[in-house]
Amino acid sequence: MDLLTSLKISASGLQAQKKRMEAINSNIANAQVTRTAEGGAYRPKEVVFGSEPARDSFAEILEGEMDEKAQTVHVTEVESSNRPPVLKYEPNHPDADEKGYVAYPDINVMVEMANMISASRSYEANITALNTTKQMAMKDLEIGR
Amino acid sequence: MNVDDTTLRALAASLKFRQMRQEVINSNIANAETPGYKSKSVEFEAALARAVDVDHDGVMTAEDEKHYKLHTGGFSSLEPEIVESSNGVVSDDGNTVDMENEMASMAENKVMYDASVQLLNKKLALMKYAIINEK
């Protein structure tokens, strides 16, 4: 129950949104990729968020009720989506199969852009929370001056 | 002058609870997109008002000395309540964080925190004045 833990929580939010942004950027950049190290078309990445208690040490957990309540956020998994690739008829493409179809990743760039805006807004909200907490901590230093 | 007076204790309690509230709000904002996360809030105003109740308006009188006295203005047992509070907003993944509401609560919390610090400083200045100007 202190402002430093609050800062930690906001920082975890920033980190999680940044990872989400990385995945989105990767999806946009690789939207047309038909050849990957694993073989086949690029598979879109999806991040999964999970929360966990903000405190981890034993002494901190002894502090009481707050421990269960204030929670940090983490990216628990970056999954490669199992969405089947989209087949396009391009017989002259080097990656075309015997029937002339090329497998492209099923990425809708518009959807990725919308996700990116959402991630950006969440990042900003966490920044605002962080700044507010910082100002409160600075105000503490004025007590008794 | 009593150094351990109600104003100081009430302000200290208020600062402590507002720090808690800030932590819970930060947790809500960070988890605004975590599936299944339930929005939480810290409730302390009513409990603090009872503790500060110096005039004992809300005191229940006890006939027998074995009866518990309620609302007698104790700060020691003062604990905020942390409750799951949804504003009626539930998204498909079970998340109940209302981002606008959280940002508004945070702004309010900050203003009230600053006010408490300012009041605390005034109170301390007053005590200092009383100490220094004794002639």
Side-chain angles (χ1 to χ4, degrees):
Chain A
M1 158 220 73
D2 56 23
L3 292 175
L4 295 180
T5 315
S6 303
L7 289 177
K8 206 165 89 181
I9 293 170
S10 293
S12 79
L14 293 175
Q15 215 170 29
Q17 295 300 339
K18 207 168 215 172
K19 285 210 177 122
R20 180 179 171 204
M21 192 67 105
E22 269 172 29
I24 294 168
N25 285 349
S26 166
N27 288 348
I28 294 175
N30 291 291
Q32 306 292 329
V33 170
T34 55
R35 200 181 289 178
T36 55
E38 305 93 62
Y42 171 83
R43 288 166 73 200
K45 288 186 168 64
E46 307 268 2
V47 296
V48 181
F49 287 162
S51 58
E52 54 184 63
R55 294 183 179 74
D56 33 23
S57 83
F58 182 67
E60 284 174 324
I61 285 165
L62 274 180
E63 271 180 31
E65 198 190 8
M66 283 296 283
D67 313 313
E68 308 263 309
K69 309 288 182 180
Q71 298 197 313
T72 55
V73 61
H74 293 284
V75 172
T76 47
E77 272 179 283
V78 181
E79 280 179 18
S80 289
S81 163
N82 285 325
R83 271 178 284 167
V86 182
L87 296 176
K88 283 186 190 160
Y89 186 65
E90 286 177 15
N92 295 327
H93 195 287
D95 285 333
D97 60 12
E98 63 276 10
K99 286 179 190 154
Y101 285 98
V102 182
Y104 280 100
D106 181 18
I107 294 173
N108 185 338
V109 176
M110 293 307 154
V111 171
E112 297 296 334
M113 294 296 272
N115 270 334
M116 190 169 76
I117 293 169
S118 163
S120 170
R121 290 286 171 271
S122 298
Y123 190 85
E124 282 168 25
N126 277 299
I127 288 274
T128 309
L130 190 96
N131 278 335
T132 307
T133 311
K134 195 177 79 185
Q135 283 166 12
M136 283 167 76
M138 292 308 285
K139 196 82 186 167
D140 275 357
L141 300 179
E142 289 174 24
I143 294 175
R145 204 175 255 180
Chain B
M1 185 192 278
N2 184 5
V3 177
D4 184 34
D5 76 348
T6 315
T7 314
L8 284 182
R9 296 182 72 177
L11 286 172
S14 151
L15 288 180
K16 182 177 146 196
F17 297 153
R18 290 203 181 277
Q19 286 190 3
M20 278 185 173
R21 180 173 282 173
Q22 181 69 16
E23 194 174 310
V24 168
I25 291 172
N26 279 1
S27 168
N28 288 344
I29 292 174
N31 286 290
E33 283 155 322
T34 308
Y37 179 86
K38 302 283 177 252
S39 176
K40 292 163 187 81
S41 72
V42 179
E43 309 285 345
F44 67 84
E45 276 93 347
L48 188 58
R50 278 200 302 276
V52 182
D53 184 16
V54 278
D55 297 331
H56 300 296
D57 288 333
V59 175
M60 291 175 76
T61 50
E63 295 288 316
D64 191 298
E65 60 180 16
K66 283 182 201 147
H67 289 169
Y68 286 110
K69 282 184 186 156
L70 291 174
H71 304 191
T72 42
F75 283 96
S76 48
S77 58
L78 200 54
E79 278 292 328
E81 260 184 286
I82 299 168
V83 291
E84 282 187 2
S85 64
S86 85
N87 231 10
V89 185
V90 183
S91 58
D92 293 342
D93 57 6
N95 190 302
T96 63
V97 177
D98 176 1
M99 190 60 112
E100 286 74 26
N101 192 37
E102 296 302 329
M103 297 308 273
S105 310
M106 189 173 69
E108 188 218 331
N109 194 41
K110 161 95 172 72
V111 170
M112 296 305 282
Y113 189 85
D114 287 358
S116 295
V117 170
Q118 224 164 70
L119 280 171
L120 190 59
N121 275 337
K122 292 281 179 208
K123 179 75 189 172
L124 291 173
L126 207 64
M127 291 167 89
K128 213 184 215 169
Y129 180 79
I131 295 166
I132 292 170
N133 288 281
E134 193 225 335
K135 292 224 169 83

